Short mmCIF file of all heavy atoms in Angstrom, two decimals:
data_model
loop_
_atom_site.label_atom_id
_atom_site.label_comp_id
_atom_site.label_asym_id
_atom_site.label_seq_id
_atom_site.Cartn_x
_atom_site.Cartn_y
_atom_site.Cartn_z
N ASN A 169 -8.62 14.91 -1.35
CA ASN A 169 -7.71 14.51 -0.29
C ASN A 169 -6.89 13.29 -0.74
O ASN A 169 -6.93 12.27 -0.10
CB ASN A 169 -8.49 14.23 0.99
CG ASN A 169 -7.58 13.95 2.16
OD1 ASN A 169 -6.43 14.37 2.18
ND2 ASN A 169 -8.08 13.19 3.12
N ILE A 170 -6.15 13.47 -1.82
CA ILE A 170 -5.34 12.35 -2.33
C ILE A 170 -4.03 12.32 -1.56
O ILE A 170 -3.58 13.31 -1.00
CB ILE A 170 -5.09 12.48 -3.85
CG1 ILE A 170 -4.45 13.83 -4.21
CG2 ILE A 170 -6.40 12.26 -4.61
CD1 ILE A 170 -4.06 13.97 -5.64
N ASP A 171 -3.40 11.13 -1.56
CA ASP A 171 -2.17 10.95 -0.84
C ASP A 171 -0.91 11.08 -1.74
O ASP A 171 0.20 11.09 -1.20
CB ASP A 171 -2.18 9.55 -0.17
CG ASP A 171 -3.31 9.43 0.81
OD1 ASP A 171 -3.28 10.13 1.83
OD2 ASP A 171 -4.31 8.67 0.57
N GLY A 172 -1.11 11.15 -3.03
CA GLY A 172 0.01 11.27 -3.93
C GLY A 172 -0.45 11.30 -5.35
O GLY A 172 -1.59 11.01 -5.70
N ILE A 173 0.50 11.65 -6.25
CA ILE A 173 0.20 11.69 -7.70
C ILE A 173 1.28 10.94 -8.39
O ILE A 173 2.48 11.10 -8.14
CB ILE A 173 0.16 13.12 -8.25
CG1 ILE A 173 -0.92 13.94 -7.55
CG2 ILE A 173 -0.07 13.10 -9.76
CD1 ILE A 173 -1.00 15.36 -8.04
N TRP A 174 0.93 10.07 -9.32
CA TRP A 174 1.86 9.40 -10.22
C TRP A 174 1.82 10.19 -11.54
O TRP A 174 0.87 10.08 -12.29
CB TRP A 174 1.40 7.96 -10.46
CG TRP A 174 2.23 7.21 -11.42
CD1 TRP A 174 2.43 7.47 -12.76
CD2 TRP A 174 2.97 5.99 -11.17
NE1 TRP A 174 3.24 6.55 -13.31
CE2 TRP A 174 3.57 5.61 -12.37
CE3 TRP A 174 3.14 5.23 -10.06
CZ2 TRP A 174 4.38 4.49 -12.46
CZ3 TRP A 174 3.91 4.07 -10.18
CH2 TRP A 174 4.53 3.74 -11.35
N PHE A 175 2.80 11.01 -11.75
CA PHE A 175 2.90 11.77 -13.01
C PHE A 175 3.47 10.79 -14.06
O PHE A 175 4.58 10.29 -13.91
CB PHE A 175 3.80 12.98 -12.87
CG PHE A 175 3.21 14.04 -11.99
CD1 PHE A 175 3.73 14.30 -10.73
CD2 PHE A 175 2.12 14.77 -12.44
CE1 PHE A 175 3.23 15.29 -9.92
CE2 PHE A 175 1.58 15.78 -11.63
CZ PHE A 175 2.13 16.03 -10.38
N ASP A 176 2.76 10.63 -15.16
CA ASP A 176 3.15 9.68 -16.17
C ASP A 176 3.21 10.39 -17.52
O ASP A 176 2.58 11.47 -17.71
CB ASP A 176 2.16 8.52 -16.22
CG ASP A 176 2.72 7.29 -16.94
OD1 ASP A 176 3.92 7.31 -17.29
OD2 ASP A 176 1.96 6.34 -17.11
N MET A 177 3.95 9.81 -18.45
CA MET A 177 4.08 10.28 -19.83
C MET A 177 4.64 11.72 -19.90
O MET A 177 4.12 12.56 -20.58
CB MET A 177 2.73 10.24 -20.55
CG MET A 177 2.20 8.81 -20.72
SD MET A 177 3.31 7.73 -21.63
CE MET A 177 3.29 8.41 -23.25
N TYR A 178 5.72 11.90 -19.18
CA TYR A 178 6.45 13.16 -19.25
C TYR A 178 7.63 12.94 -20.16
O TYR A 178 8.80 12.96 -19.73
CB TYR A 178 6.88 13.66 -17.86
CG TYR A 178 7.16 15.13 -17.88
CD1 TYR A 178 6.09 16.05 -17.75
CD2 TYR A 178 8.41 15.61 -18.04
CE1 TYR A 178 6.33 17.39 -17.81
CE2 TYR A 178 8.66 16.98 -18.05
CZ TYR A 178 7.61 17.86 -17.97
OH TYR A 178 7.84 19.21 -18.01
N ASP A 179 7.35 12.63 -21.44
CA ASP A 179 8.38 12.37 -22.43
C ASP A 179 8.55 13.60 -23.32
O ASP A 179 7.60 14.31 -23.58
CB ASP A 179 7.97 11.23 -23.36
CG ASP A 179 7.77 9.92 -22.63
OD1 ASP A 179 7.72 9.94 -21.40
OD2 ASP A 179 7.65 8.90 -23.31
N PHE A 180 9.77 13.77 -23.75
CA PHE A 180 10.04 14.92 -24.65
C PHE A 180 10.81 14.46 -25.87
O PHE A 180 12.00 14.15 -25.80
CB PHE A 180 10.84 15.98 -23.91
CG PHE A 180 11.01 17.28 -24.68
CD1 PHE A 180 9.90 18.02 -25.02
CD2 PHE A 180 12.22 17.73 -25.04
CE1 PHE A 180 10.00 19.20 -25.71
CE2 PHE A 180 12.37 18.87 -25.79
CZ PHE A 180 11.27 19.62 -26.11
N THR A 181 10.09 14.35 -26.96
CA THR A 181 10.65 13.94 -28.28
C THR A 181 11.76 12.89 -28.21
O THR A 181 12.82 13.06 -28.77
CB THR A 181 11.11 15.16 -29.09
OG1 THR A 181 12.08 15.87 -28.36
CG2 THR A 181 10.00 16.06 -29.48
N THR A 182 11.45 11.79 -27.59
CA THR A 182 12.40 10.73 -27.43
C THR A 182 12.31 9.71 -28.58
O THR A 182 12.84 8.63 -28.49
CB THR A 182 12.25 9.99 -26.11
OG1 THR A 182 10.88 9.51 -26.06
CG2 THR A 182 12.54 10.91 -24.94
N TYR A 183 11.60 10.06 -29.63
CA TYR A 183 11.32 9.10 -30.67
C TYR A 183 12.29 9.19 -31.83
O TYR A 183 12.22 8.38 -32.78
CB TYR A 183 9.87 9.26 -31.16
CG TYR A 183 9.58 10.70 -31.64
CD1 TYR A 183 9.69 11.01 -32.97
CD2 TYR A 183 9.18 11.63 -30.73
CE1 TYR A 183 9.44 12.29 -33.38
CE2 TYR A 183 8.87 12.91 -31.18
CZ TYR A 183 9.01 13.26 -32.48
OH TYR A 183 8.74 14.52 -32.89
N CYS A 184 13.14 10.16 -31.89
CA CYS A 184 13.97 10.34 -33.07
C CYS A 184 15.38 9.82 -32.85
O CYS A 184 15.88 9.75 -31.78
CB CYS A 184 14.08 11.81 -33.43
SG CYS A 184 12.45 12.46 -33.85
#
Side-chain angles (χ1 to χ4, degrees):
N169 185 24
I170 56 175
D171 299 294
I173 300 178
W174 175 299
F175 291 109
D176 199 6
M177 296 301 293
Y178 200 83
D179 298 13
F180 188 64
T181 57
T182 57
Y183 55 93
C184 299

